[in-house]
Amino acid sequence: YEMALEQYARCINIQRKALGEDHPSVAAMYNNIAFVYKHQGQYELALEHSQKCLAIEIKTLGENHPSVATTKYNIAALLEDTGELTRAAGLYRESAAIYSKVLGAEHEETL
Protein backbone atom coordinates (compact mmCIF):
# COMPACT_ATOMS: atom_id res chain seq x y z
CA TYR A 1 0.00 0.00 0.00
CA GLU A 2 2.81 2.41 0.79
CA MET A 3 4.28 2.07 -2.68
CA ALA A 4 0.88 2.77 -4.21
CA LEU A 5 0.48 5.89 -2.07
CA GLU A 6 3.95 7.10 -3.06
CA GLN A 7 3.19 6.63 -6.75
CA TYR A 8 -0.19 8.31 -6.44
CA ALA A 9 1.45 11.24 -4.64
CA ARG A 10 3.91 11.63 -7.51
CA CYS A 11 1.13 11.38 -10.09
CA ILE A 12 -1.16 13.86 -8.39
CA ASN A 13 1.66 16.40 -8.09
CA ILE A 14 2.38 16.08 -11.81
CA GLN A 15 -1.31 16.36 -12.68
CA ARG A 16 -1.83 19.43 -10.51
CA LYS A 17 1.11 21.17 -12.15
CA ALA A 18 0.10 20.19 -15.68
CA LEU A 19 -3.68 20.42 -15.44
CA GLY A 20 -4.43 22.59 -12.43
CA GLU A 21 -5.94 21.82 -9.05
CA ASP A 22 -9.51 21.58 -10.29
CA HIS A 23 -9.22 19.06 -13.10
CA PRO A 24 -11.28 15.84 -13.23
CA SER A 25 -8.07 13.80 -13.53
CA VAL A 26 -6.89 15.25 -10.23
CA ALA A 27 -10.25 14.31 -8.73
CA ALA A 28 -9.84 10.75 -10.00
CA MET A 29 -6.42 10.55 -8.39
CA TYR A 30 -7.87 11.67 -5.04
CA ASN A 31 -10.43 8.91 -5.45
CA ASN A 32 -7.69 6.33 -6.07
CA ILE A 33 -5.81 7.48 -2.97
CA ALA A 34 -9.03 7.24 -0.96
CA PHE A 35 -9.44 3.60 -1.98
CA VAL A 36 -5.92 2.76 -0.84
CA TYR A 37 -6.60 4.36 2.53
CA LYS A 38 -9.91 2.52 2.79
CA HIS A 39 -8.18 -0.81 2.17
CA GLN A 40 -5.70 0.08 4.91
CA GLY A 41 -8.57 0.80 7.28
CA GLN A 42 -7.64 4.49 7.47
CA TYR A 43 -11.19 5.72 7.04
CA GLU A 44 -10.59 9.34 8.05
CA LEU A 45 -7.91 9.76 5.38
CA ALA A 46 -10.08 7.91 2.87
CA LEU A 47 -12.98 10.23 3.63
CA GLU A 48 -10.77 13.32 3.38
CA HIS A 49 -9.54 12.34 -0.08
CA SER A 50 -13.01 11.31 -1.25
CA GLN A 51 -14.35 14.69 -0.21
CA LYS A 52 -11.57 16.44 -2.16
CA CYS A 53 -12.54 14.36 -5.17
CA LEU A 54 -16.21 15.28 -4.75
CA ALA A 55 -15.50 18.99 -4.41
CA ILE A 56 -13.53 19.04 -7.66
CA GLU A 57 -16.15 16.98 -9.48
CA ILE A 58 -18.98 19.26 -8.40
CA LYS A 59 -16.98 22.34 -9.39
CA THR A 60 -15.94 21.01 -12.79
CA LEU A 61 -18.74 18.63 -13.78
CA GLY A 62 -21.77 19.96 -11.93
CA GLU A 63 -24.00 18.56 -9.19
CA ASN A 64 -25.86 16.17 -11.48
CA HIS A 65 -23.02 14.31 -13.16
CA PRO A 66 -22.76 10.50 -12.89
CA SER A 67 -19.21 10.85 -11.51
CA VAL A 68 -20.59 12.96 -8.66
CA ALA A 69 -23.17 10.25 -7.99
CA THR A 70 -20.46 7.58 -7.90
CA THR A 71 -18.30 9.58 -5.52
CA LYS A 72 -21.25 10.25 -3.23
CA TYR A 73 -21.95 6.51 -3.26
CA ASN A 74 -18.32 5.78 -2.38
CA ILE A 75 -18.41 8.28 0.49
CA ALA A 76 -21.65 6.71 1.71
CA ALA A 77 -19.94 3.31 1.76
CA LEU A 78 -17.08 4.75 3.81
CA LEU A 79 -19.52 6.29 6.26
CA GLU A 80 -21.39 3.01 6.49
CA ASP A 81 -18.12 1.21 7.28
CA THR A 82 -17.52 3.62 10.15
CA GLY A 83 -21.04 3.27 11.53
CA GLU A 84 -22.32 6.68 10.39
CA LEU A 85 -25.46 5.13 8.98
CA THR A 86 -27.67 8.22 8.90
CA ARG A 87 -25.15 10.24 6.88
CA ALA A 88 -24.50 7.22 4.66
CA ALA A 89 -28.20 6.76 3.94
CA GLY A 90 -28.55 10.39 2.91
CA LEU A 91 -25.67 10.14 0.46
CA TYR A 92 -26.96 6.86 -0.94
CA ARG A 93 -30.28 8.60 -1.63
CA GLU A 94 -28.52 11.60 -3.24
CA SER A 95 -26.49 9.25 -5.42
CA ALA A 96 -29.58 7.33 -6.52
CA ALA A 97 -31.43 10.56 -7.30
CA ILE A 98 -28.61 11.78 -9.54
CA TYR A 99 -28.41 8.47 -11.38
CA SER A 100 -32.18 8.45 -11.86
CA LYS A 101 -32.26 12.03 -13.10
CA VAL A 102 -29.32 11.71 -15.48
CA LEU A 103 -29.49 8.10 -16.63
CA GLY A 104 -33.20 7.33 -16.20
CA ALA A 105 -35.11 5.25 -13.69
CA GLU A 106 -34.54 2.01 -15.60
CA HIS A 107 -30.76 2.29 -16.06
CA GLU A 108 -28.65 -0.39 -14.34
CA GLU A 109 -26.89 2.20 -12.16
CA THR A 110 -30.27 3.45 -10.92
CA LEU A 111 -31.80 0.10 -10.07
Side-chain angles (χ1 to χ4, degrees):
Y1 292 116
E2 291 308 315
M3 183 182 284
L5 288 172
E6 288 173 17
Q7 294 302 316
Y8 282 139
R10 288 181 61 226
C11 289
I12 202 166
N13 286 333
I14 292 168
Q15 286 181 332
R16 278 190 268 184
K17 288 176 185 171
L19 304 171
E21 289 286 332
D22 294 327
H23 192 277
S25 293
V26 174
M29 195 59 57
Y30 278 125
N31 182 63
N32 293 343
I33 293 168
F35 273 102
V36 173
Y37 282 130
K38 179 181 179 179
H39 287 289
Q40 287 183 315
Q42 296 187 54
Y43 294 104
E44 285 183 33
L45 287 170
L47 186 58
E48 176 186 325
H49 285 80
S50 291
Q51 289 170 331
K52 287 179 181 181
C53 173
L54 181 62
I56 293 169
E57 288 176 341
I58 290 171
K59 185 174 183 177
T60 59
L61 304 173
E63 283 278 348
N64 293 311
H65 192 278
S67 293
V68 170
T70 300
T71 301
K72 286 186 176 193
Y73 184 92
N74 292 341
I75 292 172
L78 280 169
L79 293 170
E80 184 177 5
D81 288 346
T82 62
E84 295 187 55
L85 302 181
T86 302
R87 285 180 61 199
L91 284 173
Y92 281 134
R93 283 191 295 275
E94 289 178 27
S95 176
I98 294 168
Y99 282 134
S100 182
K101 182 177 182 176
V102 175
L103 303 175
E106 299 301 317
H107 190 276
E108 65 183 20
E109 293 291 332
T110 303
L111 301 175

